[in-house]
Amino acid sequence: MAGRRALHFVFKVGNRFQTTRFYRDVLGMKILRHEEFEEGCKASCNGPYDGKWSKTMVGFGPEDGHFVAELTYNYGIGGYRLGNDFMGITLASSQAVSNARNMEWPLSEVAEGVFETEAPGGYKFYLQNRDLPQSDPVLKVTLAVSDLQKSLNYWSNLLGMKIYEKDEQKQRALLGYADNQCKLELQGIKGTVDHAAAFGRIAFSCPKKELPDIEDLMKRENQKILTPLVSLDTPGKATVQVVILADPDGHEICFVGDEAFRELSKMDPEGSKLLDDAMAADKSDEWFAKRNIPKASG
């Protein structure tokens, strides 16, 4: 649909030091902005946690034109149990492959010129050893689904995504809102989708006026709404409106009003320093990692 954009995927992280090293030094992403919050998000952006948390946006360029990662860190939680819901992010960057080799970050070639690696916490990334000039290197996010046709009906018929590819034999489909945006790949699996404690969230923007329409559509279609339309505040920045949905397999989906989000998501030149300062002030990242604190279950 016109005016809708793929924005970011939300990861819960338990060790900001190692996580930052991966995104900044291995993948070569930039710290776009960093924000600290004293209490949990009204839309559960940081998961089902009420305490202090932080949000760090990282990507290859400004959020206006790039699909990025949102790294949410809940103070005092050292890790999260992984499920089978998130299957990976694919990006094209020969520099990332080179960085990983130089830093001796584990790489495994799974196809010609395609390398599998993991971010701290176990989140999989697939690095294509090539570059895409003047284009966002992030190509697709892959999520597991238990019934491909049911999921296609939801994402295409209800949310208006275009189906770019569909392979019944391999039980996969590729969808998106525009040719030049990061795509969503749905991969069928046997059995149920397990979100465990590390479950993420994929975010899209749309014109603000469409948010009530999306919520009304989901009500009419008896689809799950996790958080009805609500306003979210960020200290010193724009207030945005969001509605949080869940697809048939429980994948969390955020739709945010585009106009205010463009204001909120402007790159902060102090973002990297703010993150480094927060990590320096909070030694619990290292404390949890060194002591092998049990991970949150779910």
Side-chain angles (χ1 to χ4, degrees):
M1 289 189 178
R4 295 191 180 182
R5 292 190 296 139
L7 299 178
H8 56 257
F9 193 84
V10 181
F11 295 99
K12 297 188 191 75
V13 304
N15 185 319
R16 284 191 298 190
F17 288 96
Q18 287 299 320
T19 297
T20 299
R21 184 168 178 252
F22 175 76
Y23 286 94
R24 188 161 54 185
D25 301 337
V26 177
L27 296 186
M29 289 183 172
K30 302 177 179 68
I31 306 299
L32 304 174
R33 53 188 171 102
H34 176 79
E35 294 147 7
E36 296 277 335
F37 301 87
E38 293 300 319
E39 57 186 23
C41 172
K42 287 190 289 185
S44 300
C45 307
N46 60 315
Y49 306 99
D50 295 328
K52 184 178 179 181
W53 66 288
S54 73
K55 174 200 298 182
T56 307
M57 310 302 291
V58 296
F60 288 104
E63 293 176 67
D64 263 5
H66 295 77
F67 188 87
V68 308
E70 176 179 317
L71 310 177
T72 62
Y73 171 70
N74 291 290
Y75 283 81
I77 298 181
Y80 304 87
R81 185 175 71 84
L82 286 173
N84 63 1
D85 52 343
F86 174 78
M87 300 186 74
I89 283 182
T90 300
L91 58 92
S93 172
S94 58
Q95 186 61 57
V97 174
S98 177
N99 291 344
R101 285 171 172 162
N102 291 337
M103 296 175 63
E104 298 184 348
W105 198 276
L107 284 177
S108 174
E109 191 165 15
V110 293
E112 186 175 356
V114 181
F115 297 86
E116 179 184 297
T117 190
E118 289 186 2
Y123 305 110
K124 292 188 182 299
F125 281 75
Y126 295 90
L127 313 181
Q128 296 183 0
N129 195 14
R130 65 189 181 101
D131 294 310
L132 299 173
Q134 299 178 331
S135 178
D136 184 4
V138 182
L139 303 177
K140 64 183 179 181
V141 176
T142 304
L143 301 179
V145 297
S146 59
D147 184 327
L148 182 60
Q149 192 52 52
K150 189 174 183 180
S151 294
L152 283 174
N153 178 66
Y154 182 91
W155 288 93
S156 181
N157 295 346
L158 296 184
L159 293 185
M161 277 191 154
K162 175 183 175 181
I163 300 175
Y164 283 85
E165 299 174 12
K166 182 180 178 183
D167 189 325
E168 291 279 5
Q169 187 173 0
K170 294 183 178 179
Q171 281 293 291
R172 64 171 291 275
L174 192 71
L175 303 93
Y177 281 121
D179 296 353
N180 63 345
Q181 292 183 21
C182 175
K183 303 299 187 295
L184 171 66
E185 182 177 52
L186 303 177
Q187 177 62 60
I189 63 169
K190 293 181 179 179
T192 59
V193 175
D194 176 17
H195 297 276
F199 64 90
R201 175 182 290 179
I202 191 165
F204 303 91
S205 71
C206 66
K208 178 183 174 182
K209 64 181 182 181
E210 291 183 11
L211 290 172
D213 298 334
I214 291 173
E215 184 174 326
D216 289 343
L217 173 63
M218 293 302 157
K219 288 178 180 177
R220 291 198 306 273
E221 296 292 332
N222 294 316
Q223 298 294 331
K224 187 173 291 187
I225 299 171
L226 299 177
T227 304
L229 189 58
V230 65
S231 294
L232 300 181
D233 298 323
T234 299
K237 296 188 178 182
T239 295
V240 298
Q241 288 192 315
V242 304
V243 60
I244 312 298
L245 314 173
D247 82 346
D249 285 295
H251 291 292
E252 295 195 0
I253 308 154
C254 171
F255 274 94
V256 59
D258 189 72
E259 300 87 344
F261 186 79
R262 286 185 185 271
E263 182 66 28
L264 169 67
S265 63
K266 287 181 178 178
M267 186 172 177
D268 182 356
E270 294 295 310
S272 192
K273 182 180 183 301
L274 289 172
L275 172 60
D276 289 338
D277 289 349
M279 290 192 296
D282 172 42
K283 297 301 182 183
S284 66
D285 293 58
E286 290 179 310
W287 190 88
F288 275 98
K290 288 177 180 177
R291 289 159 178 77
N292 194 26
I293 298 297
K295 294 184 177 182
S297 59

